[in-house]
Amino acid sequence: MDAIADFLSTPAAIACAAVLGAVWGSFFNVVIARVPRGESIVRPPSRCMSCQAPVRPWDNVPVLSYLLLRGRCRRCGVRISARYPIVEALTAALAAAIFWKFTGADDGELVAVRLGRFAVYFTFASTLVVLGFIDLDTKRLPDVITLPGTVVLFLAAFAAHDVSWQQRLIGVAAGYLFVRLIADFYYYVLKREGLGLGDGKLLAMMGAVLGWKALPVVVFVASVVGTAISLPILLATRSHAGKTSLRHVEVPFGPFLAVGALVYLFAGARILGLVLPTG
Ligand SMILES: [Zn+2]
């Protein structure tokens, strides 16, 4: 067992995690493209959106195939979205980083516990990647992912042995209610649509894994990053289309919440330590 424990912190093990992440990323591309359209994620096999040619296995190697084909279909030459290699590279990087952070720790924990923690947090991060890109693409966070995701991740997080189930259960309720209150305030008081309830279900799913203490940090980071990125876009859009269109520009909040949750996953203990000196 010591040999395995030593192997977990080697570059070779982290590289294996990255390859595993890239392969999963390839599958997540299918999920991101098909779930919003209500299509099966298993069948049919991937095809070119333009000429319907099936994607050959050797043209389906994560990231590499896209680079070798210079981002075009081998048969008809139509451009392939850069989202495909981006999702694959991002998932690979997250898998490597989560593996490095959560399995390499030399605190005498069982190998099974460390690998379990990797499985839980990689599943969590993957769900965030999928939901973030679906929200960017369609401005929707499908219930078909967030609702089962909350239940499955709440149960899976027992294997991570990090946050108590009471804190995580409160996190589910607090995440949803927080967004619900803001949404109701916009709807009944300001008479317009603010946050979508999809954001509340996403925040509930985050609470199910990270616990309620994470939620203020997640929302704060999401707001800062969201403002920094979307303000220039909103201003550019306004100068193009005139003042009245500003309130019609919809900026999805899900991707920024996902960034906030990932920041918390990697640096949450440190951030909470700054805010709450006693721990
Ligand atoms: Zn084609």
Side-chain angles (χ1 to χ4, degrees), residues 89-103:
L90 180 62
T91 315
L94 284 170
I98 291 168
F99 193 90
W100 168 76
K101 178 165 171 73
F102 292 102
T103 68

Side-chain angles (χ1 to χ4, degrees), residues 4 49 77 93 100 112 139 214 242 247 265:
I4 302 175
M49 298 276 194
W100 168 76
K139 311 264 192 335
R247 57 169 48 197
L265 184 61

Side-chain angles (χ1 to χ4, degrees), residues 151-235:
V151 176
V152 169
L153 286 165
F154 178 79
L155 295 174
F158 280 96
H161 296 276
D162 272 339
V163 186
S164 77
W165 66 268
Q166 291 93 338
Q167 288 196 24
R168 295 190 289 105
L169 195 60
I170 295 170
V172 174
Y176 181 76
L177 287 176
F178 175 72
V179 174
R180 182 73 203 238
L181 286 175
I182 295 177
D184 284 354
F185 175 77
Y186 267 87
Y187 189 76
Y188 292 110
V189 181
L190 304 179
K191 307 283 184 203
R192 62 192 186 92
E193 302 271 331
L195 282 176
L197 290 182
D199 294 310
K201 292 165 197 163
L202 176 60
L203 207 53
M205 193 188 88
M206 293 167 173
V209 177
L210 302 174
W212 65 268
K213 286 181 189 170
L215 299 179
V217 179
V218 171
V219 172
F220 178 74
V221 172
S223 306
V224 171
V225 176
T227 307
I229 290 181
S230 58
L231 203 58
I233 297 174
L234 285 175
L235 293 176

